Structure formats: structure tokens, C-alpha cells
């Protein structure tokens, strides 16, 4: 079982950090996870007297204390799709004698659609911010390549010219020759290191873009 599900809100129940682990234990005991059924089928799941049936089932024993925290009777799981990033589900715990009729079920579907719209909007803003950060990194890399590398290349050319002049001076130019060669080697080394830094920045940007794209297509579920 994977744990890519994220719990957002607890429908009046107390927050339980072990919720998914307890739910997995129930599933392993043969419990029917209506939420997962809704996610897999894409269909709204309505179960009357759900609390009564769960409390009378040994498969749901690990969840019994949790189920008793709130007064409820019927259960409705309404799935929704996100734009290429997975699925979600809204679970509603209906009060006793609050049978979910067609109007109520339609209302839950509308709420699920609004939830999907809100999440998609949030993810779009996040992706735009991430893309802006990657674009800025690429711009800095271009500026380094177009500006700094040109200056380093110019220093290298000037140091080679200085080398030639030092050679013409003979013994009196030996010190200048050594300095010129050192300048030239330093400029070559600096250009090489800067190219490596720029290339690393570009590869990192590409990798991060790929990770963002692939993670966005993951399906969140408790299924193996």
C-alpha cells in the first residue's frame, strides 16, 4: 500500500496522524474502503447506515474508537478529477435521519467540482511561480555566458599578446612572461569552471521541470 493520499480536513473528527495506517490495517482485514472505490470508479458512493455496519464489523475494529467520535449514520463519497494531477474525493458523514436524497447528492457533486477547481487554480499558480524561477535561472545563465565569458576570453587574448611582448624583451621580460602565462592559465581555468556552473544550472532546471511534470501526473490512492 502506498501513502500518497493527503487528508485535508477531518469532517469533525479529531486529527489523527495514524489515520492512514489505521485505515490500511482495516483494509488488510478485508474492510471495504468506499473512498478508494469512489476514486477507482470515478462514481459517487452512497452507503446508508454506514456507521452501524462499520461498528458491527471486525474488519473495521481498528477504526471503531475513531468512528464513535462523531454522531453520524450515512456516508457519501464524491470523487473529483484534477487537471492531469490525480484525483480527490470529498467524504460526507450524514447525521442520523439525514438521508442523502438526489438533491443532496447533486449538491455534493457540485462541491466536489468546486474543490477540484480551487485545487487546480492553486496548482496552476504554483507551477507559474516555479516556471518563473526556472526562467530567471536560465536568464542568469545566459547573462553569465554572454558577458562574463566574453570578458574572460578577452583577458586570455590580452595575456597571450603580453606573452609575445615579453618574449621579445628576452631575459628582461621573463618576469612579465611568467605573469602573462599565469593570467592566461587562470582565464582558461575560470572559463572552464564557469561553463561547468552554467551547464549544471541548465541541467538542474531541466531536471526540476521534469520532476514537476512527472509528479503532477501521479494518481493519489491507497491501492497497491
Amino acid at each position: 500500500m502506498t501513502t500518497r493520499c493527503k487528508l485535508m480536513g477531518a469532517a469533525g473528527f479529531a486529527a489523527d496522524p495514524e489515520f492512514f495506517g489505521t485505515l490500511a490495517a482495516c483494509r488488510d482485514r478485508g474492510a471495504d474502503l468506499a473512498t478508494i472505490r469512489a476514486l477507482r470508479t470515478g462514481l459517487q458512493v452512497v452507503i446508508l447506515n454506514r456507521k452501524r455496519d462499520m461498528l458491527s464489523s471486525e474488519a473495521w475494529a481498528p477504526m471503531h474508537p475513531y468512528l464513535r467520535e462523531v454522531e453520524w449514520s450515512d456516508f457519501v463519497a464524491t470523487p473529483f478529477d484534477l487537471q492531469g494531477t490525480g484525483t480527490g474525493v470529498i467524504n460526507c458523514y450524514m447525521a442520523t435521519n439525514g438521508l442523502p436524497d438526489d438533491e443532496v447528492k447533486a449538491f455534493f457533486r457540485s462541491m466536489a467540482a468546486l474543490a477540484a477547481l480551487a485545487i487546480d487554480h492553486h496548482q496552476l499558480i504554483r507551477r507559474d511561480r516555479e516556471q518563473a524561477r526556472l526562467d530567471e535561472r536560465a536568464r542568469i545563465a545566459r547573462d553569465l555566458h554572454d558577458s562574463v565569458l566574453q570578458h574572460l576570453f578577452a583577458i586570455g587574448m590580452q595575456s597571450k599578446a603580453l606573452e609575445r611582448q615579453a618574449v621579445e624583451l628576452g631575459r628582461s621580460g621573463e618576469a612579465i612572461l611568467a605573469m602573462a602565462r599565469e593570467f592566461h592559465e587562470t582565464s582558461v581555468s575560470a572559463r572552464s569552471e564557469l561553463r561547468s556552473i552554467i551547464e549544471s544550472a541548465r541541467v538542474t532546471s531541466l531536471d526540476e521541470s521534469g520532476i514537476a511534470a512527472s509528479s503532477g501526473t501521479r494518481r493519489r490512492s491507497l491501492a497497491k
Side-chain angles (χ1 to χ4, degrees):
M1 172 178 290
T2 59
T3 56
R4 289 194 298 251
C5 275
K6 182 176 181 180
L7 185 64
M8 299 178 68
F13 293 93
D16 184 359
E18 302 299 324
F19 176 82
F20 285 116
T22 306
L23 194 63
C26 293
R27 190 210 63 170
D28 293 342
R29 294 161 66 100
D32 170 35
L33 274 60
T35 299
I36 302 306
R37 181 148 45 100
L39 286 171
R40 284 176 172 169
T41 64
L43 302 174
Q44 189 177 56
V45 176
V46 179
I47 305 178
L48 303 181
N49 299 310
R50 178 64 162 168
K51 180 179 181 180
R52 181 196 65 190
D53 294 342
M54 293 172 74
L55 289 176
S56 65
S57 171
E58 283 300 315
W60 285 102
M63 290 284 289
H64 284 175
Y66 184 82
L67 298 173
R68 293 191 179 98
E69 289 183 0
V70 176
E71 288 298 324
W72 62 284
S73 175
D74 307 320
F75 178 80
V76 182
T78 306
F80 57 84
D81 287 321
L82 302 175
Q83 295 297 318
T85 61
T87 57
V89 62
I90 292 180
N91 289 334
C92 297
Y93 299 83
M94 305 291 295
T96 304
N97 299 323
L99 297 178
D101 56 21
D102 290 341
E103 185 177 352
V104 170
K105 289 184 284 186
F107 171 75
F108 289 155
R109 288 193 292 270
S110 297
M111 292 299 295
L114 289 174
L117 182 63
I119 294 172
D120 283 336
H121 181 67
H122 171 74
Q123 292 179 339
L124 179 61
I125 293 175
R126 184 179 62 183
R127 287 196 297 268
D128 287 345
R129 288 175 177 172
E130 177 64 15
Q131 188 58 50
R133 186 178 69 84
L134 295 176
D135 290 345
E136 178 64 12
R137 179 181 291 180
R139 184 193 66 77
I140 292 174
R142 288 195 301 271
D143 289 347
L144 286 172
H145 183 274
D146 296 340
S147 177
V148 179
L149 283 180
Q150 289 182 10
H151 286 302
L152 289 173
F153 181 77
I155 292 174
M157 294 293 292
Q158 292 171 359
S159 63
K160 292 300 289 185
L162 185 60
E163 280 187 44
R164 289 192 294 270
Q165 294 179 8
V167 169
E168 293 176 358
L169 292 175
R171 293 180 60 85
S172 61
E174 289 180 353
I176 297 176
L177 179 61
M179 292 177 61
R181 287 174 175 171
E182 183 177 350
F183 284 151
H184 180 72
E185 292 175 359
T186 299
S187 68
V188 171
S189 177
R191 290 203 304 271
S192 178
E193 291 182 8
L194 189 54
R195 286 194 184 97
S196 296
I197 293 172
I198 294 172
E199 183 62 26
S200 176
R202 287 173 176 168
V203 170
T204 300
S205 296
L206 289 174
D207 288 345
E208 290 180 352
S209 297
I211 290 172
S214 63
S215 64
T217 60
R218 291 181 181 174
R219 309 286 288 185
R220 295 177 173 85
S221 73
L222 285 173
K224 288 183 177 179

